Amino acid sequence: MSLRCTLSEKILHFKQPAGTSRGVYTTRKIWLVHLSDGQRTGVGECAPLPDLSCDALPDDEYASILKKFCEDFCQSGEIDYDALRDYPSMLFGLETALLNLQNGDRLFDTAFSRGEVGIPINGLVWMGNHEEMLQRLEEKLAKGFRCVKLKIGAIDFDQELDLIKRIRDRFSFHEVELRVDANGAFPYDEALYKLELLSQYNIHSIEQPIRQGQWAFMADLCRESPLPIALDEELIGVNDPEMKRHMLNIIKPRFIILKPSLHGGMSGCREWIDIARDMGIGSWITSALESNIGLNAIAQFASSVYGDHITMPQGLGTGQLFTDNIPMPIEIQKDRVFIKT
């Protein structure tokens, strides 16, 4: 099979600034991989996150390395997974483009990909001041979300606690599931105290309470915390299967959260999920500010991993964030994402 590969770049613009404890995003740069065999075409998205992805490089360097991987792939007709382990966003883009070329719009043959069922998702409330976050929360609940994830760590912690208290005063944990994501914002010597305060509000889990790379400290927190801890940034750059097992065995989190663009593409995420499952660790899949091309692929991937009856909300709502997204047959209805057929 003779393949041709071309690359294009696109800048996405956020409807409103997206704040995390690492800073604020107003635009998002992505690279699109276009594959063709002369009759069929496929497209995939490469979307590294600056200052976060292990393959976040200066634009010229990123484009040059991606071009070389694409050339090698077109010559061999096969993805070199070992060579791409340390370039997860590039691997994800190539995986998606190849699946799209081979299978068309239905990347995986699942009930979700056939448009028969939706996948439950959480509503995402970005960091802001107290009133902004409260307004965004009200909007998510009004749209029908019953699992809400709050980004915390950017404003005063007491204000964040007050916001969570307001939610619980109105909605029990039976009505609204709350998740929080600290993005590593808590100092270790304050983390356990803050987790104890958060735990009184029946929170499902907290993502990455302390900065990644502190395995011993994170293991202590996972052992002592009254609140289930989920690893996210901690997984970035841990690309060898044995190292994945080693890290999870040391830290022993309750959950891991997988983003194909950050955590090894689809193949790397399958490794994480299989290893975690063997150790009794739960998982779910989220997008990482991709366009609808990446979001569509991640949602279909989630349906292939977890089956046709997903009950745990996934993090697949970020396609609503951009003013100039790429049209795809994917839509959100209340608290579920669907493929339109």
Side-chain angles (χ1 to χ4, degrees):
M1 178 173 63
S2 177
L3 294 173
R4 182 171 178 268
C5 181
T6 57
L7 300 176
S8 63
E9 301 176 9
K10 183 174 177 62
I11 302 291
L12 302 171
H13 297 83
F14 285 89
K15 294 177 182 177
Q16 57 189 27
T20 77
S21 60
R22 290 180 300 273
V24 178
Y25 294 111
T26 57
T27 61
R28 178 81 164 100
K29 185 166 187 175
I30 63 172
W31 283 260
L32 298 177
V33 176
H34 305 268
L35 282 182
S36 174
D37 64 1
Q39 296 180 318
R40 302 169 299 174
T41 60
V43 62
E45 176 178 354
C46 304
L49 279 168
D51 302 319
L52 185 60
S53 300
C54 63
D55 57 355
L57 302 165
D59 287 352
D60 290 347
E61 185 178 354
Y62 186 93
S64 176
I65 293 173
L66 177 57
K67 181 180 178 183
K68 180 64 167 61
F69 279 130
C70 289
E71 290 171 349
D72 292 345
F73 169 68
C74 287
Q75 288 181 0
S76 67
E78 297 180 352
I79 294 175
D80 188 341
Y81 290 97
D82 286 336
L84 280 157
R85 275 192 181 275
D86 292 332
Y87 301 91
S89 65
M90 300 183 196
L91 175 55
F92 175 58
L94 275 169
E95 288 175 316
T96 302
L98 182 58
L99 284 169
N100 190 205
L101 177 80
Q102 294 174 333
N103 302 332
D105 291 341
R106 191 180 299 167
L107 305 182
F108 300 94
D109 188 18
T110 66
F112 170 76
S113 299
R114 295 191 295 269
E116 297 168 4
V117 299
I119 296 175
I121 61 174
N122 63 252
L124 179 60
V125 176
W126 287 94
M127 289 179 178
N129 63 43
H130 188 278
E131 293 307 314
E132 287 172 339
M133 292 182 72
L134 186 59
Q135 179 184 346
R136 293 167 190 168
L137 173 67
E138 297 279 3
E139 291 170 355
K140 294 298 180 185
L141 296 176
K143 289 179 179 179
F145 285 96
R146 288 299 171 260
C147 175
V148 178
K149 172 179 164 180
L150 302 174
K151 292 274 190 178
I152 64 173
I155 63 175
D156 180 75
F157 183 68
D158 288 338
Q159 292 188 49
E160 292 170 337
L161 274 181
D162 180 67
L163 176 64
I164 292 169
K165 180 179 183 300
R166 289 202 203 185
I167 300 169
R168 277 292 172 249
D169 286 344
R170 290 180 52 193
F171 301 99
S172 73
F173 69 95
H174 295 294
E175 296 171 295
V176 175
E177 178 180 288
L178 284 179
R179 300 173 178 175
V180 294
D181 182 2
N183 286 127
F186 296 166
Y188 172 69
D189 58 1
E190 299 176 8
L192 186 57
Y193 174 66
K194 290 183 175 181
L195 295 179
E196 289 170 348
L197 292 176
L198 287 166
S199 68
Q200 64 188 308
Y201 297 113
N202 290 298
I203 290 173
H204 172 270
S205 57
I206 181 168
E207 295 181 35
Q208 203 68 43
I210 63 173
R211 181 172 44 83
Q212 68 266 37
Q214 305 177 88
W215 291 9
F217 286 161
M218 187 67 85
D220 287 343
L221 281 183
C222 287
R223 185 173 59 252
E224 301 293 336
S225 173
L227 190 61
I229 291 176
L231 302 186
D232 179 357
E233 288 92 339
E234 200 73 64
L235 313 181
I236 296 171
V238 183
N239 300 317
D240 176 76
E242 289 308 310
M243 188 58 69
K244 292 176 181 181
R245 187 177 298 277
H246 179 59
M247 189 193 76
L248 292 183
N249 189 52
I250 289 174
I251 298 178
K252 296 181 172 61
R254 185 77 64 87
F255 301 102
I256 59 172
I257 301 168
L258 285 313
K259 298 178 173 72
S261 290
L262 295 176
H263 301 135
M266 299 184 203
S267 56
C269 286
R270 285 188 190 276
E271 281 183 355
W272 275 116
I273 291 167
D274 289 343
I275 292 168
R277 187 178 289 142
D278 287 346
M279 302 174 71
I281 297 169
S283 65
W284 66 88
I285 290 172
T286 84
S287 51
L289 305 181
E290 294 88 356
S291 78
N292 279 336
I293 290 176
L295 178 62
N296 172 66
I298 294 167
Q300 293 199 49
F301 171 64
S303 72
S304 76
V305 170
Y306 297 126
D308 292 340
H309 304 288
I310 298 175
T311 56
M312 177 177 283
Q314 309 291 298
L316 303 173
T318 56
Q320 298 175 310
L321 297 175
F322 304 110
T323 61
D324 46 2
N325 212 329
I326 299 168
M328 289 291 288
I330 188 166
E331 66 178 8
I332 293 174
Q333 300 174 14
K334 293 187 177 180
D335 63 345
R336 288 179 176 265
V337 63
F338 289 86
I339 294 286
K340 295 184 292 185
T341 57

